[in-house]
């Protein structure tokens, strides 16, 4: 995710804007397995994934599923990558249609909140994965950390651009603002999924508005319909 790569074609279309060519059957099967694995992982976590469980869901043999990945670890990494791709497609790239600066930053948060509102019920791989792999070095943790770091860097850059455009104070600490915004999302998941607290989505929006105002935005963020 970066300002220079923001205009990449979406997966559903070819570079000339036409419909994408059908994938070979093997790739279609692998994509279907990853999709099913992602659905399971949001419910039971990445650690809960197994070749056997997926084979049952897909009505395939274990050897058939194994042939597409080679190991449970590679399956988990494929799920992390697919989650990240969908996150980009739903949160990051649509926001690039907004004007640079504060409009784009608000669009990023709005898209993130829309996704979070759904994940309150389904679960977030970034959050659950961090709990599962925070103290477990290895390729799965590396894939998770890389994906989250990429998103945080994109958010931080959007904040920097807002300051460069004069929409936030020139002395805005982009890393601090990104930290606080990320904290709102983490708090929202905890309050909504674990404590079932009413009104927490509105509180997250008010928190975002307060962060912007504290850093020189002239208008508070308002929740979009």
């Amino acid at each position: 995710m970066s300002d220079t790569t923001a205009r990449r074609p979406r997966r559903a279309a070819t570079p000339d804007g036409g419909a994408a060519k059908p994938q070979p059957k093997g790739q279609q099967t692998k994509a279907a397995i990853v999709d099913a694995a992602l659905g399971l992982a949001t419910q039971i976590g990445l650690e809960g994934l197994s070749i056997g469980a997926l084979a049952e869901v897909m009505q395939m043999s274990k050897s058939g599923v194994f042939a597409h990945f080679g190991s449970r670890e590679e399956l988990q990494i494929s799920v992390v990558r697919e989650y990240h791709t969908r996150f980009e497609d739903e949160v990051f790239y649509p926001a690039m249609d907004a004007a640079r600066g504060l409009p784009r930053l608000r669009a990023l948060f709005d898209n993130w909140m829309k996704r979070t509102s759904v994940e309150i019920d389904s679960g977030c791989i970034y959050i659950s994965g961090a709990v599962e792999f925070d103290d477990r070095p290895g390729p799965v943790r590396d894939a998770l950390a890389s994906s989250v770091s990429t998103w945080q860097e994109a958010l931080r850059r959007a904040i920097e651009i807002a300051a460069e455009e004069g929409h936030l104070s020139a002395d805005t600490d982009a890393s601090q603002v990104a930290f606080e915004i990320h904290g709102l999302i983490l708090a929202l998941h905890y309050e909504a999924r674990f404590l079932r607290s009413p009104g927490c989505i509105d509180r997250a929006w008010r928190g975002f508005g307060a962060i912007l105002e504290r850093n020189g935005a002239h208008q508070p963020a308002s929740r979009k319909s």
Side-chain angles (χ1 to χ4, degrees):
M1 299 180 198
S2 72
D3 199 46
T4 57
T5 61
R7 299 297 176 181
R8 77 171 188 183
R10 304 288 170 81
R11 290 187 296 171
T14 59
D16 62 1
K21 294 181 180 179
Q23 293 179 320
K25 185 175 180 180
Q27 292 183 20
Q28 290 180 8
T29 301
K30 184 174 183 178
I33 294 172
V34 171
D35 183 67
L38 180 55
L40 280 176
T42 57
Q43 299 173 34
I44 63 177
L46 286 167
E47 266 301 280
L49 287 179
S50 70
I51 299 294
L54 268 180
E56 183 176 346
V57 170
M58 295 296 298
Q59 297 184 330
M60 296 173 60
S61 65
K62 291 183 181 180
S63 60
V65 174
F66 188 84
H68 287 282
F69 301 97
S71 69
R72 177 169 171 266
E73 185 176 79
E74 184 56 40
L75 169 65
Q76 292 170 321
I77 292 172
S78 295
V79 168
V80 171
R81 289 171 177 164
E82 177 63 18
Y83 181 87
H84 181 72
T85 297
R86 295 186 187 189
F87 188 94
E88 285 185 323
D89 287 345
E90 293 180 23
V91 177
F92 179 73
Y93 289 108
M96 295 303 103
D97 293 331
R100 284 168 58 90
L102 200 52
R104 186 172 295 175
L105 178 58
R106 283 177 167 149
L108 285 171
F109 188 75
D110 181 55
N111 294 342
W112 199 4
M113 284 291 290
K114 287 175 182 175
R115 185 176 178 93
T116 299
S117 297
V118 173
E119 290 182 334
I120 286 171
D121 295 322
S122 65
C124 172
I125 294 295
Y126 286 163
I127 295 175
S128 63
V131 173
E132 293 177 299
F133 290 92
D134 59 348
D135 58 354
R136 298 180 55 187
V140 179
R141 185 190 187 282
D142 292 345
L144 274 166
S146 176
S147 294
V148 174
S149 295
T150 297
W151 163 238
Q152 289 184 330
E153 173 60 23
L155 180 62
R156 185 189 63 79
R157 181 57 185 148
I159 296 163
E160 288 180 340
I161 292 173
E164 291 168 4
E165 295 289 328
H167 300 162
L168 296 175
S169 300
D171 61 353
T172 294
D173 184 338
S175 295
Q176 179 64 30
V177 173
F179 179 89
E180 293 179 21
I181 293 174
H182 191 203
L184 289 175
I185 298 295
L186 295 178
L188 174 56
H189 270 273
Y190 191 90
E191 290 277 337
R193 280 181 63 81
F194 181 53
L195 298 179
R196 308 293 183 185
S197 301
C200 48
I201 291 178
D202 288 333
R203 283 196 289 276
W205 270 108
R206 289 199 298 271
F208 179 64
I211 291 170
L212 295 186
E213 287 186 276
R214 193 168 64 250
N215 286 277
H218 298 297
Q219 296 178 349
S222 59
R223 181 178 175 181
K224 296 183 180 181
S225 58

Coordinates of all heavy atoms in Angstrom, one line a residue, residues 23-86:
Q23 N -9.7 -18.5 -14.4 CA -8.5 -19.1 -13.9 C -8.5 -20.6 -14.3 O -9.5 -21.2 -14.4 CB -8.4 -19.0 -12.4 CG -8.2 -17.6 -11.8 CD -8.2 -17.6 -10.3 OE1 -8.9 -18.3 -9.7 NE2 -7.3 -16.8 -9.8
P24 N -7.3 -21.2 -14.5 CA -7.2 -22.6 -14.6 C -7.9 -23.4 -13.5 O -8.0 -22.8 -12.4 CB -5.7 -22.9 -14.7 CG -5.1 -21.6 -15.1 CD -6.0 -20.6 -14.5
K25 N -8.4 -24.6 -13.7 CA -9.1 -25.3 -12.7 C -8.3 -25.5 -11.4 O -8.9 -25.3 -10.3 CB -9.6 -26.7 -13.2 CG -10.5 -27.4 -12.3 CD -11.0 -28.7 -12.9 CE -11.9 -29.5 -11.9 NZ -12.4 -30.7 -12.4
G26 N -7.0 -25.7 -11.5 CA -6.2 -25.9 -10.3 C -6.2 -24.7 -9.5 O -6.3 -24.7 -8.2
Q27 N -6.1 -23.5 -10.1 CA -6.0 -22.2 -9.4 C -7.4 -21.9 -8.8 O -7.5 -21.4 -7.7 CB -5.6 -21.1 -10.3 CG -4.2 -21.2 -10.8 CD -3.8 -20.0 -11.6 OE1 -4.4 -19.0 -11.6 NE2 -2.7 -20.2 -12.4
Q28 N -8.5 -22.3 -9.5 CA -9.8 -22.1 -9.0 C -10.0 -22.9 -7.7 O -10.6 -22.4 -6.7 CB -10.9 -22.5 -10.0 CG -10.9 -21.5 -11.2 CD -12.0 -21.9 -12.2 OE1 -12.8 -22.9 -12.0 NE2 -12.0 -21.3 -13.4
T29 N -9.6 -24.1 -7.8 CA -9.7 -25.0 -6.6 C -8.9 -24.5 -5.4 O -9.4 -24.4 -4.3 CB -9.2 -26.5 -6.9 OG1 -10.0 -27.0 -8.0 CG2 -9.4 -27.4 -5.7
K30 N -7.7 -24.1 -5.7 CA -6.9 -23.5 -4.6 C -7.5 -22.3 -4.0 O -7.5 -22.1 -2.8 CB -5.5 -23.2 -5.1 CG -4.5 -22.7 -4.0 CD -3.1 -22.5 -4.5 CE -2.2 -22.1 -3.3 NZ -0.8 -22.0 -3.8
A31 N -8.0 -21.4 -4.9 CA -8.7 -20.2 -4.4 C -9.9 -20.5 -3.5 O -10.2 -19.9 -2.5 CB -9.1 -19.3 -5.6
A32 N -10.7 -21.6 -3.9 CA -11.8 -22.0 -3.2 C -11.4 -22.5 -1.8 O -12.1 -22.3 -0.8 CB -12.6 -23.0 -4.0
I33 N -10.3 -23.2 -1.8 CA -9.8 -23.8 -0.5 C -9.4 -22.6 0.4 O -9.7 -22.6 1.6 CB -8.6 -24.7 -0.7 CG1 -9.1 -26.0 -1.5 CG2 -8.0 -25.1 0.6 CD1 -8.0 -26.9 -1.9
V34 N -8.7 -21.6 -0.1 CA -8.2 -20.5 0.7 C -9.4 -19.7 1.2 O -9.5 -19.3 2.3 CB -7.3 -19.6 -0.1 CG1 -7.0 -18.3 0.6 CG2 -6.0 -20.3 -0.5
D35 N -10.5 -19.6 0.4 CA -11.7 -18.9 0.8 C -12.3 -19.6 1.9 O -12.7 -19.0 2.9 CB -12.6 -18.8 -0.4 CG -13.9 -18.0 0.0 OD1 -13.8 -16.8 0.2 OD2 -15.0 -18.6 0.0
A36 N -12.4 -20.9 1.8 CA -13.0 -21.7 2.9 C -12.1 -21.6 4.2 O -12.7 -21.5 5.3 CB -13.2 -23.2 2.5
A37 N -10.8 -21.7 4.0 CA -9.9 -21.6 5.1 C -10.0 -20.3 5.8 O -10.0 -20.2 7.1 CB -8.5 -21.8 4.6
L38 N -10.2 -19.2 5.0 CA -10.3 -17.9 5.6 C -11.6 -17.8 6.5 O -11.6 -17.2 7.6 CB -10.3 -16.8 4.5 CG -10.5 -15.3 5.0 CD1 -9.5 -14.9 6.0 CD2 -10.4 -14.4 3.8
G39 N -12.7 -18.4 5.9 CA -13.9 -18.4 6.7 C -13.8 -19.1 8.0 O -14.3 -18.7 9.1
L40 N -13.1 -20.3 8.0 CA -12.8 -21.0 9.2 C -11.9 -20.3 10.2 O -12.2 -20.2 11.4 CB -12.2 -22.4 8.9 CG -13.1 -23.5 8.4 CD1 -12.2 -24.7 8.0 CD2 -14.1 -23.9 9.5
A41 N -10.9 -19.6 9.6 CA -9.9 -18.9 10.5 C -10.5 -17.8 11.2 O -10.2 -17.5 12.4 CB -8.7 -18.4 9.6
T42 N -11.5 -17.1 10.6 CA -12.2 -16.0 11.3 C -13.0 -16.5 12.5 O -13.3 -15.7 13.4 CB -13.1 -15.2 10.4 OG1 -14.1 -16.1 9.8 CG2 -12.3 -14.5 9.3
Q43 N -13.4 -17.8 12.5 CA -14.2 -18.3 13.5 C -13.3 -19.0 14.6 O -13.6 -18.9 15.8 CB -15.2 -19.3 13.0 CG -16.2 -18.7 12.0 CD -17.0 -19.8 11.3 OE1 -17.4 -20.8 11.9 NE2 -17.4 -19.6 10.0
I44 N -12.3 -19.8 14.1 CA -11.6 -20.6 15.1 C -10.1 -20.2 15.2 O -9.3 -20.8 15.9 CB -11.7 -22.1 14.7 CG1 -11.1 -22.3 13.3 CG2 -13.1 -22.6 14.7 CD1 -11.1 -23.8 12.9
G45 N -9.7 -19.2 14.4 CA -8.3 -18.8 14.5 C -7.4 -19.5 13.5 O -7.8 -20.6 13.0
L46 N -6.3 -18.9 13.2 CA -5.3 -19.6 12.3 C -4.8 -20.9 12.8 O -4.6 -21.8 12.1 CB -4.1 -18.6 12.0 CG -4.4 -17.4 11.1 CD1 -3.3 -16.4 11.1 CD2 -4.6 -17.9 9.6
E47 N -4.6 -20.9 14.1 CA -4.1 -22.2 14.8 C -5.1 -23.3 14.7 O -4.8 -24.5 14.7 CB -3.8 -21.9 16.2 CG -2.3 -21.6 16.5 CD -1.4 -22.7 16.0 OE1 -1.2 -23.7 16.7 OE2 -0.8 -22.5 14.9
G48 N -6.4 -23.0 14.5 CA -7.4 -24.0 14.4 C -7.5 -24.6 13.1 O -8.2 -25.7 12.9
L49 N -6.8 -24.0 12.1 CA -6.9 -24.6 10.7 C -6.1 -25.9 10.6 O -5.1 -26.1 11.2 CB -6.3 -23.6 9.7 CG -7.1 -22.4 9.4 CD1 -6.3 -21.5 8.4 CD2 -8.4 -22.7 8.8
S50 N -6.7 -26.8 9.9 CA -6.0 -28.1 9.6 C -6.4 -28.6 8.3 O -7.4 -28.2 7.7 CB -6.4 -29.1 10.7 OG -7.7 -29.5 10.5
I51 N -5.5 -29.4 7.7 CA -5.8 -29.9 6.4 C -7.0 -30.8 6.4 O -7.9 -30.8 5.5 CB -4.6 -30.8 5.9 CG1 -3.3 -29.9 5.7 CG2 -4.9 -31.4 4.6 CD1 -3.4 -28.8 4.7
G52 N -7.2 -31.6 7.5 CA -8.3 -32.4 7.7 C -9.6 -31.7 7.7 O -10.6 -32.1 7.1
A53 N -9.6 -30.6 8.5 CA -10.9 -29.8 8.6 C -11.3 -29.2 7.3 O -12.5 -29.2 6.9 CB -10.7 -28.7 9.7
L54 N -10.3 -28.7 6.6 CA -10.6 -28.1 5.3 C -11.0 -29.2 4.3 O -11.9 -28.9 3.5 CB -9.4 -27.4 4.7 CG -9.2 -25.9 5.1 CD1 -8.0 -25.4 4.5 CD2 -10.4 -25.2 4.5
A55 N -10.4 -30.3 4.3 CA -10.8 -31.4 3.4 C -12.3 -31.8 3.6 O -13.1 -32.0 2.7 CB -10.0 -32.6 3.6
E56 N -12.7 -31.8 4.9 CA -14.1 -32.1 5.2 C -15.0 -31.0 4.7 O -16.1 -31.3 4.1 CB -14.3 -32.2 6.7 CG -15.7 -32.6 7.2 CD -15.8 -32.9 8.7 OE1 -14.7 -33.0 9.3 OE2 -16.9 -32.9 9.2
V57 N -14.7 -29.7 4.9 CA -15.5 -28.6 4.4 C -15.6 -28.6 2.9 O -16.6 -28.4 2.3 CB -14.9 -27.3 4.9 CG1 -15.6 -26.1 4.2 CG2 -15.1 -27.1 6.4
M58 N -14.5 -28.9 2.2 CA -14.4 -28.9 0.8 C -14.9 -30.2 0.1 O -15.0 -30.3 -1.1 CB -13.0 -28.6 0.3 CG -12.4 -27.2 0.7 SD -13.4 -25.9 -0.1 CE -13.1 -26.2 -1.8
Q59 N -15.1 -31.2 1.0 CA -15.5 -32.5 0.5 C -14.4 -33.0 -0.5 O -14.7 -33.5 -1.6 CB -16.9 -32.5 -0.2 CG -18.0 -32.1 0.8 CD -19.4 -32.2 0.1 OE1 -19.5 -32.0 -1.1 NE2 -20.4 -32.5 1.0
M60 N -13.2 -32.9 0.0 CA -12.0 -33.4 -0.8 C -11.2 -34.3 0.1 O -11.5 -34.4 1.3 CB -11.1 -32.2 -1.2 CG -11.7 -31.2 -2.2 SD -10.7 -29.8 -2.5 CE -9.2 -30.5 -3.1
S61 N -10.3 -35.0 -0.5 CA -9.4 -35.9 0.3 C -8.3 -35.0 0.9 O -8.1 -33.9 0.5 CB -8.8 -36.9 -0.6 OG -7.9 -36.3 -1.5
K62 N -7.8 -35.5 2.0 CA -6.7 -34.7 2.7 C -5.5 -34.5 1.7 O -4.9 -33.5 1.7 CB -6.2 -35.4 3.9 CG -7.2 -35.4 5.1 CD -6.6 -36.1 6.3 CE -7.6 -36.1 7.4 NZ -7.1 -36.8 8.7
S63 N -5.2 -35.6 0.9 CA -4.1 -35.5 0.0 C -4.4 -34.4 -1.1 O -3.5 -33.8 -1.6 CB -3.8 -36.8 -0.6 OG -5.0 -37.3 -1.3
G64 N -5.7 -34.3 -1.5 CA -6.1 -33.3 -2.5 C -5.8 -31.9 -2.0 O -5.3 -31.0 -2.7
V65 N -6.2 -31.6 -0.7 CA -6.0 -30.3 -0.2 C -4.5 -30.1 0.0 O -3.9 -29.0 -0.3 CB -6.7 -30.2 1.2 CG1 -6.3 -28.9 1.9 CG2 -8.2 -30.3 1.0
F66 N -3.8 -31.1 0.5 CA -2.4 -31.0 0.8 C -1.6 -30.7 -0.4 O -0.6 -29.9 -0.4 CB -1.8 -32.3 1.4 CG -0.4 -32.2 1.9 CD1 -0.1 -31.7 3.2 CD2 0.6 -32.7 1.2 CE1 1.2 -31.7 3.7 CE2 1.9 -32.6 1.6 CZ 2.2 -32.1 2.9
A67 N -2.0 -31.2 -1.6 CA -1.3 -31.0 -2.8 C -1.2 -29.6 -3.2 O -0.3 -29.1 -3.9 CB -1.9 -31.9 -3.9
H68 N -2.2 -28.8 -2.8 CA -2.2 -27.3 -3.2 C -1.3 -26.5 -2.3 O -1.0 -25.3 -2.7 CB -3.7 -26.8 -3.1 CG -4.5 -27.3 -4.2 ND1 -4.5 -26.8 -5.5 CD2 -5.5 -28.3 -4.2 CE1 -5.4 -27.5 -6.3 NE2 -6.0 -28.4 -5.5
F69 N -1.0 -27.0 -1.1 CA -0.2 -26.1 -0.2 C 1.1 -26.8 0.3 O 2.1 -26.1 0.5 CB -1.1 -25.8 1.0 CG -2.3 -25.0 0.6 CD1 -3.5 -25.7 0.5 CD2 -2.3 -23.7 0.4 CE1 -4.7 -25.0 0.1 CE2 -3.4 -23.0 0.0 CZ -4.6 -23.6 -0.1
G70 N 1.1 -28.1 0.5 CA 2.3 -28.8 1.0 C 2.5 -28.8 2.4 O 3.2 -29.7 2.9
S71 N 1.9 -27.9 3.2 CA 2.0 -27.9 4.6 C 0.9 -27.0 5.2 O 0.3 -26.2 4.6 CB 3.4 -27.4 5.1 OG 3.5 -26.0 4.8
R72 N 0.6 -27.3 6.5 CA -0.3 -26.5 7.2 C 0.1 -25.0 7.3 O -0.7 -24.1 7.2 CB -0.6 -27.1 8.6 CG -1.5 -26.3 9.5 CD -1.8 -27.2 10.7 NE -2.5 -26.5 11.7 CZ -2.0 -25.9 12.8 NH1 -0.6 -25.9 12.9 NH2 -2.7 -25.2 13.7
E73 N 1.4 -24.9 7.5 CA 2.0 -23.5 7.6 C 1.8 -22.7 6.4 O 1.4 -21.5 6.4 CB 3.5 -23.6 7.9 CG 4.2 -22.3 8.2 CD 5.6 -22.5 8.6 OE1 6.5 -22.7 7.7 OE2 5.9 -22.5 9.8
E74 N 2.0 -23.3 5.2 CA 1.8 -22.6 3.9 C 0.3 -22.3 3.7 O 0.0 -21.2 3.2 CB 2.3 -23.5 2.8 CG 2.2 -22.8 1.4 CD 2.9 -21.5 1.4 OE1 4.0 -21.4 1.9 OE2 2.4 -20.5 0.8
L75 N -0.5 -23.1 4.2 CA -2.0 -22.9 4.2 C -2.3 -21.6 5.0 O -3.0 -20.7 4.6 CB -2.8 -24.1 4.7 CG -4.3 -23.8 5.0 CD1 -5.0 -23.5 3.7 CD2 -4.9 -25.1 5.6
Q76 N -1.7 -21.5 6.2 CA -2.0 -20.4 7.1 C -1.4 -19.1 6.5 O -2.1 -18.1 6.5 CB -1.3 -20.6 8.4 CG -1.9 -21.7 9.3 CD -1.1 -22.1 10.5 OE1 0.2 -22.2 10.4 NE2 -1.7 -22.4 11.6
I77 N -0.3 -19.2 5.8 CA 0.3 -18.0 5.2 C -0.6 -17.6 4.0 O -0.8 -16.4 3.8 CB 1.7 -18.3 4.7 CG1 2.6 -18.5 6.0 CG2 2.3 -17.2 3.8 CD1 4.0 -18.9 5.6
S78 N -1.1 -18.5 3.3 CA -2.0 -18.2 2.2 C -3.3 -17.5 2.6 O -3.8 -16.6 2.0 CB -2.4 -19.5 1.4 OG -1.3 -20.1 0.8
V79 N -3.7 -17.9 3.8 CA -4.9 -17.2 4.4 C -4.6 -15.8 4.8 O -5.4 -14.9 4.5 CB -5.4 -18.0 5.6 CG1 -6.5 -17.2 6.4 CG2 -6.1 -19.4 5.1
V80 N -3.4 -15.6 5.4 CA -3.0 -14.3 5.8 C -2.9 -13.4 4.6 O -3.4 -12.2 4.6 CB -1.7 -14.3 6.5 CG1 -1.1 -12.9 6.7 CG2 -1.8 -15.0 7.9
R81 N -2.3 -13.9 3.5 CA -2.2 -13.1 2.3 C -3.5 -12.7 1.6 O -3.7 -11.6 1.1 CB -1.3 -13.8 1.3 CG 0.2 -13.9 1.7 CD 1.0 -14.8 0.8 NE 2.4 -14.9 1.2 CZ 3.2 -15.8 0.8 NH1 2.8 -16.8 0.0 NH2 4.5 -15.8 1.1
E82 N -4.4 -13.7 1.7 CA -5.8 -13.5 1.1 C -6.5 -12.4 1.9 O -7.2 -11.5 1.4 CB -6.5 -14.8 1.0 CG -8.0 -14.6 0.5 CD -8.1 -14.1 -0.9 OE1 -7.1 -14.2 -1.7 OE2 -9.2 -13.6 -1.3
Y83 N -6.4 -12.5 3.2 CA -7.0 -11.6 4.1 C -6.5 -10.2 3.8 O -7.3 -9.2 3.7 CB -6.8 -11.9 5.6 CG -7.5 -11.0 6.5 CD1 -8.8 -11.1 6.9 CD2 -6.8 -9.9 7.0 CE1 -9.4 -10.3 7.8 CE2 -7.4 -9.0 7.9 CZ -8.7 -9.2 8.3 OH -9.3 -8.3 9.1
H84 N -5.2 -10.1 3.7 CA -4.6 -8.8 3.4 C -5.0 -8.2 2.1 O -5.3 -7.0 2.0 CB -3.0 -8.9 3.4 CG -2.3 -7.6 3.2 ND1 -2.3 -6.6 4.1 CD2 -1.6 -7.1 2.1 CE1 -1.6 -5.6 3.7 NE2 -1.2 -5.9 2.4
T85 N -5.1 -9.0 1.1 CA -5.6 -8.6 -0.3 C -7.0 -8.0 -0.2 O -7.4 -7.0 -0.7 CB -5.5 -9.7 -1.3 OG1 -4.2 -10.1 -1.4 CG2 -6.1 -9.3 -2.6
R86 N -7.9 -8.8 0.6 CA -9.3 -8.3 0.7 C -9.3 -7.0 1.5 O -10.2 -6.1 1.2 CB -10.1 -9.4 1.4 CG -10.2 -10.6 0.5 CD -11.2 -11.7 1.1 NE -11.2 -12.9 0.3 CZ -12.0 -13.9 0.5 NH1 -13.0 -13.8 1.4 NH2 -12.0 -15.0 -0.2

